[in-house]
Amino acid sequence: MLSTIAAISTPLAASGLGVVRIAGEDAIAVGDAMFRPVGKESLAELGGYRCAYGRVYDGDGDIDEAVATVFVSPHSYTGEDTVEFSCHGGPNVLRRVLRSALSCGAKPAGPGEFTRRAFINGKMTLTQAEAVMDIISSRSEQAGKAALNMKDGALYKKITAVAGELTALQSHFAAWADFPEEDVPELSPEQMRCVLSSSRSVLKKLIDGYDAGRIVREGAAAVIAGKPNVGKSTLMNLLTGCERSIVTEIAGTTRDIVEESVLIGDIPVRLFDTAGLHETQDPVERIGVDMASDALERCDVVLAVFDTSLELDDNDRALIERISGRPSVAVLNKSDLPPVADVKYIEERMPECVRLSATEGSGIDEFRAALERVLRVADYDPTAPLMANERQLDCARRGLAAVDDALSAIAAGMTLDAVSVCVESALDALCELTGEKASDAVIDQVFSRFCVGK
Ligand code: GDP
């Protein structure tokens, strides 16, 4: 039997309410040893799913007024008996209430321990537990919706459906191998291919959707690129609405990378204003250019800025060539000045082009729409099953690779045993994804990301 645990489940800051949660076999006894309900003898007498107003106390006397809510196993978050004290939300009050619970026999809860218990007690799957983490940390409305969808089990259902098909295939192999005298009909390579191909396409779709999902959840990294003086810093300032970058008329002054986070539309975007990618002899500037080049390789989207009031030059053309094929938006800046640049040259080579004036702020709505299109979040569907993290992605990739191996084994005319080994390893990867076969180390890692109290 697991011990009874307690933790402060709300942030430690002055606030209207603060909650101390106690869960485990002795939760109600612990609650009763530190709380005097008004109009009732005890929390045990109160029963489940009821609240009682009263006073929490410790050896030194009353701590605070509180409302105690009682949940009875198995219908609680962790599946165990649970008492939650809602007190006034001051850090001192909450710490003292927690200490009182600990002195009455509860143990301090570790990070994510309540959710871990919910998982152990079968209240939620591993992917649902991971969704809880995402709900807590979601930074945009879309991300919140996607996490809630996962909490509802969308990904779990999708993966278990694939696993179900593969298991059926496996049991057919087993029946055929183990009971040859029973006349189990051998599956034709075509039938096997059909099952495996459908599993393959589900996994492939999930893996392909990962990046769009990740961007909605964690935000996109956008690098502002362009030669000196095209208006990169001015664009950065326009987007962030504050004067973070240094804007000057001397070319090449922004030497290091300036980072700022903003919400563009509903996408959290980390903007990196770089030194540009031009050729330079200045060694300090060279470092900045190298850093810019590095950032350019790693980002989700490049915002390539051009000065349309001047002729395009080799630096502009080199930038276009450099980012060809990458998700990018061409910002045709200084559109308030008479147009000189060969804009058509850019438009023919870049997927999205937006005329903008960074000093006047015109064109910003078009820019936002173009960015959403490039990041493919405009048509992103938060109700579709999505994978939430690298762990799940890694499992799905391993599953897909094993399914591909099985398909190759069939194509090469190998024995059913060989196909079966591949299908088995696909199943292992998928069961690790849902947590059905995840090792303790994997589970430890999942819950170590949680905060204490959740
Ligand atoms: P960076 O070197 O690419 O970061 O360029 P800056 O942002 O420092 O801008 C260089 C110069 O261009 C500054 O004098 C800005 O005020 C000016 N500038 C930037 N954007 C615009 C614009 O949209 N219109 C006009 N007229 N000037 C701009």
Side-chain angles (χ1 to χ4, degrees):
M1 186 46 80
L2 296 165
S3 56
T4 297
I5 50 171
I8 299 167
S9 284
T10 43
L12 269 180
S15 56
L17 289 175
V19 173
V20 171
R21 176 151 61 175
I22 307 165
E25 199 184 18
D26 300 327
I28 295 171
V30 169
D32 267 330
M34 57 184 287
F35 182 70
R36 222 176 298 110
V38 172
K40 285 275 176 212
E41 275 300 304
S42 63
L43 296 175
E45 183 205 354
L46 183 71
Y49 319 104
R50 284 167 200 279
C51 303
Y53 166 77
R55 295 213 159 203
V56 212
Y57 60 91
D58 60 13
D60 294 333
D62 287 1
I63 304 170
D64 191 16
E65 303 171 277
V67 171
T69 312
V70 178
F71 303 85
V72 181
S73 169
H75 301 295
S76 69
Y77 184 72
T78 65
E80 305 160 305
D81 284 354
T82 301
V83 176
E84 285 178 8
F85 288 116
S86 293
C87 318
H88 291 106
N92 288 327
V93 170
L94 291 173
R95 282 202 194 98
R96 220 178 125 190
V97 173
L98 175 63
R99 271 201 300 272
S100 180
L102 301 182
S103 70
C104 294
K107 301 258 176 312
E113 198 167 350
F114 292 100
T115 309
R116 186 188 187 118
R117 287 183 174 204
F119 166 66
I120 290 169
N121 292 328
K123 302 296 289 184
M124 60 176 83
T125 65
L126 197 59
T127 50
Q128 285 174 316
E130 287 173 306
V132 170
M133 181 71 199
D134 289 343
I135 291 170
I136 300 173
S137 54
S138 63
R139 288 197 285 168
S140 72
E141 201 179 315
Q142 293 249 48
K145 273 191 208 157
L148 192 58
N149 178 37
M150 184 154 106
K151 175 73 181 47
D152 288 341
L155 177 67
Y156 180 77
K157 285 182 199 141
K158 198 91 196 166
I159 295 292
T160 42
V162 173
E165 300 256 306
L166 295 178
T167 307
L169 196 62
Q170 255 336 35
S171 37
H172 193 94
F173 293 156
W176 191 78
D178 297 344
F179 307 102
E181 69 283 3
E182 294 280 313
D183 234 12
V184 180
E186 187 178 350
L187 279 183
S188 70
E190 203 36 61
Q191 287 167 307
M192 291 189 275
R193 235 194 315 269
C194 179
V195 173
L196 290 166
S197 302
S198 97
S199 304
R200 182 181 200 286
S201 71
V202 174
L203 293 177
K204 180 90 176 48
K205 195 162 166 212
L206 279 172
I207 293 168
D208 289 347
Y210 179 76
D211 270 343
R214 180 181 58 78
I215 283 168
V216 167
R217 206 174 42 251
E218 294 167 11
V223 162
I224 305 180
K227 68 184 180 193
N229 254 15
V230 288
K232 296 183 297 299
S233 305
T234 314
L235 176 68
M236 175 93 161
N237 292 342
L238 172 71
L239 295 175
T240 57
C242 69
E243 300 281 316
R244 171 82 197 266
S245 313
I246 325 145
V247 182
T248 63
E249 285 175 43
I250 309 152
T253 36
T254 314
R255 283 185 169 150
D256 53 287
I257 298 182
V258 181
E259 180 184 345
E260 194 79 68
S261 291
V262 285
L263 208 58
I264 300 182
D266 193 35
I267 322 167
V269 179
R270 273 170 298 130
L271 291 167
F272 297 90
D273 183 5
T274 66
L277 295 164
H278 51 284
E279 286 304 320
T280 175
Q281 300 306 319
D282 178 327
V284 180
E285 209 175 331
R286 181 77 244 158
I287 296 171
V289 172
D290 286 346
M291 281 165 75
S293 180
D294 204 37
L296 196 73
E297 294 305 321
R298 286 184 281 114
C299 68
D300 297 302
V301 60
V302 182
L303 308 177
V305 186
F306 302 93
D307 180 347
T308 55
S309 71
L310 299 171
E311 292 284 1
L312 295 182
D313 67 13
D314 287 347
N315 283 318
D316 296 313
R317 284 185 284 268
L319 174 62
I320 294 172
E321 185 158 333
R322 169 95 194 255
I323 62 177
S324 140
R326 295 285 311 274
S328 52
V329 177
V331 177
L332 310 177
N333 193 32
K334 309 200 188 181
S335 63
D336 53 298
L337 299 177
V340 175
D342 180 5
V343 165
K344 205 152 164 279
Y345 179 90
I346 306 175
E347 283 172 342
E348 281 167 1
R349 288 164 178 81
M350 298 275 297
E352 291 285 347
C353 298
V354 181
R355 278 164 217 262
L356 190 138
S357 166
T359 44
E360 296 187 352
S362 59
I364 190 79
D365 290 338
E366 290 79 0
F367 170 78
R368 202 174 285 135
L371 187 65
E372 291 195 350
R373 279 194 298 274
V374 165
L375 292 174
R376 295 190 302 167
V377 291
D379 53 2
Y380 156 76
D381 175 9
T383 62
L386 271 183
M387 287 184 298
N389 53 44
E390 298 287 329
R391 184 194 77 79
Q392 297 174 358
L393 178 68
D394 176 57
C395 293
R397 279 193 178 140
R398 279 188 279 130
L400 179 66
V403 168
D404 277 341
D405 287 346
L407 282 164
S408 316
I410 296 169
M414 288 162 86
T415 62
L416 281 192
D417 272 353
V419 180
S420 171
V421 166
C422 303
V423 174
E424 193 59 44
S425 73
L427 275 168
D428 282 347
L430 299 186
C431 291
E432 185 178 322
L433 199 165
T434 58
E436 273 154 86
K437 267 199 193 165
S439 66
D440 284 349
V442 167
I443 292 165
D444 283 347
Q445 208 190 352
V446 167
F447 289 101
S448 66
R449 293 165 59 222
F450 277 63
C451 46
V452 170
K454 187 64 218 174

